[in-house]
Amino acid sequence: MDLGYGFTSGTNRISKQKVCYWLHTDNDISWNSFVWYIADYCDIEDFGEDWISIRLVSAKQREFFYKKVMEYSEEICASNFEIDRENELWKDHKKGADRNRNILLRLIK
């Protein structure tokens, strides 16, 4: 099912280039920090060096995902990611820790 703007119901692969385009930045964002941030808001199936596969099932979910991408702050999220890597408090306090635990564990290795 087409969710609009190139998204379909199910798995959608989003590139780092597309995220930078949405954010209107020529600056290179820290991809791992972005994946760490977005894990709080959507189901991540997999990720790579410059891509992420997320599961979307409705247009409302797609809109929410886009909204959260637009709220991403490189300075804040990169700092939060580095702090979270230093301890294990995120396992109890991070919103996406239950649903994306395997992804998060891969990110902090």
Side-chain angles (χ1 to χ4, degrees):
M1 180 169 102
D2 182 24
L3 300 178
Y5 303 103
F7 289 90
T8 58
S9 181
T11 302
N12 290 269
R13 189 168 172 152
I14 312 296
S15 69
K16 180 178 179 180
Q17 180 181 12
K18 185 175 273 192
V19 171
C20 288
Y21 175 78
W22 289 338
L23 293 171
H24 303 289
T25 182
D26 291 334
N27 298 334
D28 198 22
I29 64 171
S30 168
W31 190 244
N32 287 351
S33 298
F34 174 78
V35 175
W36 187 263
Y37 161 80
I38 207 67
D40 284 347
Y41 306 106
C42 64
D43 293 329
I44 300 173
E45 294 186 352
D46 201 4
F47 75 97
E49 188 175 311
D50 62 354
W51 59 271
I52 186 170
S53 291
I54 60 169
R55 182 151 185 78
L56 299 173
V57 295
S58 69
K60 189 169 188 156
Q61 211 175 26
R62 180 212 61 200
E63 291 168 10
F64 180 75
F65 169 74
Y66 181 74
K67 177 183 172 195
K68 290 303 175 183
V69 169
M70 298 308 292
E71 291 174 359
Y72 176 75
S73 168
E74 174 68 20
E75 185 176 303
I76 293 169
C77 295
S79 177
N80 288 345
F81 176 61
E82 290 305 317
I83 291 168
D84 286 345
R85 289 178 72 179
E86 299 298 319
N87 61 62
E88 295 190 2
L89 292 174
W90 65 268
K91 290 180 179 178
D92 296 326
H93 302 292
K94 187 159 178 59
K95 294 178 199 173
D98 290 333
R99 109 181 95 173
N100 290 311
R101 183 167 296 272
N102 291 335
I103 298 295
L104 298 173
L105 289 171
R106 280 179 46 203
L107 279 168
I108 61 171
K109 285 186 179 180

